[in-house]
Amino acid sequence: MGEDKMDIDTPTTTTPATPKKKKESVTPSASAETASKYPDMALAQSIHALIMMTPHSGMETPKLDAEGAKAVGIADDLNATIMSKVGGSEVENPALYKHLKTTLSWDKQSNCLSEEELTAMEERHTKTLEELEAKVEEARENAGDMEVLEARFDVARFAAKSMSKEAALEAYDKVLNLPKLSSGKTIDALMESARVASFHGDTKKNAELIDRAAKMAADGGDWDRRNRLKVYSALSKLLARDVKGASALLVDCIATFSCTELCSYTDFIVYTMISGVLHLPRTELKKMIIDGPEILSVAKDIPAVSALVNALYDCDYKGYLHAMVDVQPVLVADRFLQPHSGYIMRELHVLGYKQFLDSYKSVTLESMASSFGVSTAFLDLQLSRFIAAGRLTAKIDKFGGVVETNRPDLKNAQYRDMIQKGDLLLNRIQKLGRVVDL
């Protein structure tokens, strides 16, 4: 932790200004190499995957079976790896260890740390925290505001690594309450606090902190901070099921992604592709996702997601449904996508059926079922549900075995909408006129 150097918000005097240089009054935020790596979000992803693989809370079978775990590349020794990392010197977080000990029944395993060992770990952390607080006081008495800021960040980052969510957030609150704290350092502290909340699954607190950071960045954050904050906001929107809003932000960051402290680049591309296939027009999907050089560079690492997007664009509906089966474990194993895996799978079904039906005025159930590689009974059941819910503009002729599409007349709909809004405007003008006459 001591090696993490914080940029200080002071104008530089050694490097002459150039046309491409950012404003000297705003210090660049921590880059991917220098940003605090704690809490470790890769560890949070691994913990989520392990929980999905472990039956709990009355579940007979896990949400992610062995075959699905293998398909997404989860190692067989994941449990042992997490146990040694959380309880070992790399993280050494007794609060997290106790939580996982209960959730994953680690107490039944021979290599599980005892309560005495965890208590000793907490005592060591208390001593370390006291030493770090002493450095803050020493900096306050013998140095300046910059040294106090660095010392206070060291306390917060230690708490983020090795202490509870409450202790970490409290430590970052002390950073945010420092006098003369620049807007840049405030944004950095808010983003790190948001990672703490996200690591521990507090989506509400995470969203609140990101909103605060976004408001400050809009008023004066530099390009790097705003760019990284887009990824934070996008993943927050994913957790809130605002997939369309997340898609716009993720696509905008494809070429400039540098937020590796929050998620890996491969995971970022998965989020971009899944949200993009649901909401991007075909032309944008082709340009930004299918033919995008950044996407192509990692496509071989995510074959299921890549196959899904390409099958839909190529109108290979049988391959599309097969790819959906392969994508489901990817959704379940990811902590940002799993809470909405059912919703995403349903939307993918609707997307495929809608694209197919848009090409026809009417089509037989048998022909459509053949194109998707499913039985007519299965297709009839799914289509009837989506039609009843208003997700597909079609009707099924059960007697003739035909699906007839009812394309909405967009021009007439827009005309009616304009007339209604015009009537409302005229009514308001008349009411305003009567008030003026009085």
Side-chain angles (χ1 to χ4, degrees):
M1 299 298 292
E3 296 179 355
D4 290 341
K5 300 284 182 75
M6 288 296 299
D7 295 319
I8 305 303
D9 291 283
T10 55
T12 177
T13 58
T14 59
T15 304
T18 62
K20 294 183 179 180
K21 187 176 179 182
K22 297 184 178 91
K23 293 180 180 179
E24 291 187 346
S25 60
V26 182
T27 302
S29 59
S31 65
E33 291 78 17
T34 60
S36 172
K37 62 180 180 179
Y38 296 108
D40 185 353
M41 301 307 287
L43 175 60
Q45 193 78 290
S46 297
I47 290 172
H48 169 80
L50 184 59
I51 291 175
M52 292 297 102
M53 295 166 60
T54 307
H56 58 280
S57 302
M59 293 169 48
E60 294 183 1
T61 58
K63 293 183 178 180
L64 184 64
D65 58 22
E67 184 179 351
K70 184 178 180 180
V72 296
I74 295 176
D76 295 334
D77 61 346
L78 181 62
N79 183 74
T81 300
I82 292 176
M83 183 180 287
S84 62
K85 182 176 286 189
V86 176
S89 58
E90 186 173 350
V91 175
E92 202 174 35
N93 191 321
L96 178 59
Y97 196 98
K98 288 180 179 180
H99 169 70
L100 296 177
K101 185 177 180 180
T102 302
T103 304
L104 301 172
S105 302
W106 279 356
D107 51 349
K108 297 178 182 178
Q109 302 179 33
S110 58
N111 56 342
C112 178
L113 296 179
S114 65
E115 289 297 325
E116 291 76 15
E117 290 172 309
L118 292 173
T119 300
M121 192 185 297
E122 289 174 340
E123 292 173 352
R124 289 197 300 272
H125 289 349
T126 300
K127 184 178 179 181
T128 302
L129 198 61
E130 290 174 352
E131 293 172 352
L132 291 172
E133 288 288 356
K135 291 182 179 179
V136 174
E137 293 303 320
E138 181 182 352
R140 184 175 285 116
E141 293 175 2
N142 303 321
D145 293 336
M146 293 180 288
E147 289 76 14
V148 173
L149 175 63
E150 289 180 354
R152 184 55 71 190
F153 260 116
D154 284 343
V155 175
R157 288 170 175 174
F158 173 76
K161 176 176 81 80
S162 299
M163 302 189 74
S164 66
K165 178 189 75 172
E166 291 76 17
L169 291 177
E170 182 181 354
Y172 275 109
D173 282 342
K174 291 181 180 179
V175 174
L176 293 168
N177 290 331
L178 287 174
K180 302 179 183 179
L181 187 64
S182 69
S183 61
K185 292 305 176 187
T186 302
I187 294 171
D188 288 340
L190 287 170
M191 287 196 289
E192 291 186 24
S193 298
R195 282 169 52 205
V196 170
S198 177
F199 182 94
H200 293 280
D202 191 342
T203 55
K204 183 178 179 181
K205 184 67 174 179
N206 175 55
E208 290 174 357
L209 291 166
I210 291 173
D211 286 345
R212 285 177 61 189
K215 290 176 181 177
M216 293 206 68
D219 293 335
D222 63 12
W223 178 88
D224 185 58
R225 284 188 176 96
R226 291 198 300 270
N227 186 60
R228 291 169 60 230
L229 195 54
K230 285 181 183 179
V231 182
Y232 279 75
S233 299
L235 297 190
S236 178
K237 288 179 181 295
L238 269 185
L239 286 173
R241 200 176 284 189
D242 181 7
V243 182
K244 186 174 182 179
S247 176
L249 292 171
L250 291 168
V251 168
D252 197 34
C253 295
I254 291 177
T256 57
F257 176 81
S258 62
C259 202
T260 53
E261 78 277 9
L262 186 60
C263 67
S264 69
Y265 186 64
T266 301
D267 286 343
F268 166 78
I269 293 299
V270 170
Y271 306 143
T272 305
M273 294 179 76
I274 293 293
S275 60
V277 75
L278 289 174
H279 291 287
L280 287 179
R282 278 179 64 84
T283 53
E284 289 296 312
L285 187 68
K286 176 69 171 174
K287 177 183 176 182
M288 304 299 297
I289 304 297
I290 296 176
D291 292 340
E294 297 84 4
I295 305 288
L296 293 174
S297 68
V298 297
K300 64 181 184 299
D301 299 325
I302 46 175
V305 181
S306 182
L308 176 82
V309 176
N310 282 280
L312 179 69
Y313 186 81
D314 295 335
C315 300
D316 177 11
Y317 298 109
K318 187 179 295 185
Y320 178 69
L321 285 193
H322 281 295
M324 283 181 61
V325 175
D326 295 334
V327 162
Q328 187 168 17
V330 176
L331 302 179
V332 174
D334 189 275
R335 62 193 301 265
F336 292 101
L337 298 175
Q338 184 273 328
H340 314 298
S341 57
Y343 165 81
I344 292 172
M345 292 296 287
R346 184 170 64 251
E347 292 301 304
L348 288 173
H349 272 110
V350 172
L351 183 64
Y353 294 146
K354 184 178 184 301
Q355 180 173 291
F356 180 90
L357 290 173
D358 282 346
S359 303
Y360 298 91
K361 185 170 180 61
S362 65
V363 62
T364 63
L365 272 171
E366 185 177 355
S367 174
M368 185 174 179
S370 176
S371 296
F372 280 91
V374 297
S375 67
T376 55
F378 174 83
L379 183 63
D380 177 62
L381 178 62
Q382 286 224 308
L383 290 179
S384 60
R385 287 176 175 174
F386 291 136
I387 291 171
R391 302 306 311 282
L392 293 175
T393 56
K395 61 181 180 180
I396 300 175
D397 180 356
K398 190 79 171 185
F399 179 77
V402 174
V403 182
E404 299 178 358
T405 59
N406 300 320
R407 292 186 181 84
D409 191 336
L410 294 180
K411 287 188 177 180
N412 283 337
Q414 291 173 350
Y415 177 75
R416 287 193 298 270
D417 184 56
M418 182 181 68
I419 294 297
Q420 290 175 352
K421 289 180 178 178
D423 287 342
L424 288 173
L425 180 60
L426 288 174
N427 289 335
R428 289 174 181 171
I429 292 174
Q430 290 175 352
K431 290 180 179 178
L432 181 61
R434 287 195 293 269
V435 170
V436 171
D437 290 340
L438 292 175

